[in-house]
Each structure stands twice: as structure tokens, then as C-alpha cells.
Amino acid sequence: DKLYYNEEKNQYICPMGQPMNKISSKNRKTKSGYAQASSLYQAQNCNGCPLRGTCHKSKGNRIIERNQNLERHKDRVRENLLSEIGKLKRRQRTADVEPVFAHIKSNRNFKRFTHIGIEKAELEFGLHALAHNLRKKSA
């Protein structure tokens, strides 16, 4: 998060102002089968850098791996969260949603799902939500 990305030169700049150039690319698949492409960037010379101890702990020069697609998604989400609508929705969430989850988890002692699989977990949580709503309705 302390690195600046220069899009024109396709390089990161370390906290000391040293460029970190792209050295290679990686393509891999996650366990769920999603293909990811990432790039490796390496600093030129970390020897004698006063920030080395706080920057990284490796013996050689610092190497970072960045997934550009993921970074783009994070920027988009950050923009949405910091927009006026995003701020309003975040304020609204604390009053609308969070107390319900807290009540179900704490007062109803719901700590874990007992069924395996998305469909069964959705059904189980739906039953908890239904019970919560019925209890509110009867009160």
C-alpha cells in the first residue's frame, strides 16, 4: 500500500523512490478454477536502504507480486465506498443489517452452519432469518 504505480512505465516506485521494474508474469488457476494473471516486480538495489527493515525482510532485493485485475477491482470498490451513495449505504447498514446478524449469532447462539454445501447453508440461514422475523412479528 506504500508503493506508487506508474502506469505509463509499468513500474512501481518504492518508498525511497527507487523504481521496481517488471521481471516476469505468472498465470495460474485457483482451486475453484479461476484463472489469474499476475506480474512480478523487483527493486534495483536494496543494499544500504535505510527503510529496508520496515520495507521487507528478504536477503536480496524486494520482489512483489501484483494482480493488476484485482487491483483494478479494489480501486473500483474503493471509489464506490467513498462516493456519496456509498457513504449513505454504509451508514444505513449499521442500523439495518448488522444488529440482525449480531442478534442471530449472539442471542440465538448461531456459531456455525451444520450443513455442508451452498444450497444447504442458504436454506439453513433462511430458516434462521425466518425464525428471527417470526419472533419479531409476534413480539
Side-chain angles (χ1 to χ4, degrees):
D1 62 337
K2 292 180 177 67
L3 300 174
Y4 169 75
Y5 180 67
N6 185 340
E7 207 166 328
E8 292 174 6
K9 296 181 180 179
N10 187 23
Q11 64 181 199
Y12 281 89
I13 308 296
C14 81
M16 283 299 292
Q18 184 182 162
M20 299 177 73
N21 296 317
K22 183 177 175 181
I23 56 172
S24 67
S25 297
K26 276 186 183 179
N27 292 321
R28 65 174 167 235
K29 282 193 175 185
T30 62
K31 290 179 182 177
S32 61
Y34 182 74
Q36 291 181 327
S38 59
S39 302
L40 290 163
Y41 296 86
Q42 184 176 23
Q44 304 289 324
N45 185 12
C46 292
N47 294 335
C49 178
L51 297 177
R52 183 185 177 110
T54 58
C55 188
H56 68 98
K57 293 175 176 54
S58 65
K59 292 182 181 178
N61 293 331
R62 181 176 185 181
I63 297 175
I64 61 168
E65 181 179 346
R66 293 294 172 135
N67 182 334
Q68 299 297 344
N69 192 30
L70 178 63
E71 296 297 325
R72 191 176 72 250
H73 286 299
K74 284 181 182 179
D75 289 340
R76 193 167 130 221
V77 167
R78 194 174 296 113
E79 286 174 17
N80 288 341
L81 287 171
L82 296 176
S83 70
E84 291 302 317
I85 294 171
K87 289 177 185 175
L88 178 68
K89 295 280 187 189
R90 283 189 290 150
R91 269 195 307 266
Q92 195 175 13
R93 179 183 170 94
T94 60
D96 292 346
V97 180
E98 296 299 334
V100 174
F101 287 128
H103 177 77
I104 291 172
K105 286 175 71 175
S106 180
N107 298 345
R108 298 282 151 240
N109 202 24
F110 178 65
K111 304 293 183 205
R112 308 179 160 237
F113 288 101
T114 56
H115 295 87
I116 298 173
I118 292 175
E119 294 86 11
K120 291 178 184 176
E122 284 176 351
L123 182 63
E124 184 178 354
F125 189 77
L127 290 171
H128 281 285
L130 180 66
H132 176 78
N133 289 335
L134 287 173
R135 187 158 178 92
K136 276 178 33 178
K137 196 78 168 163
S138 68

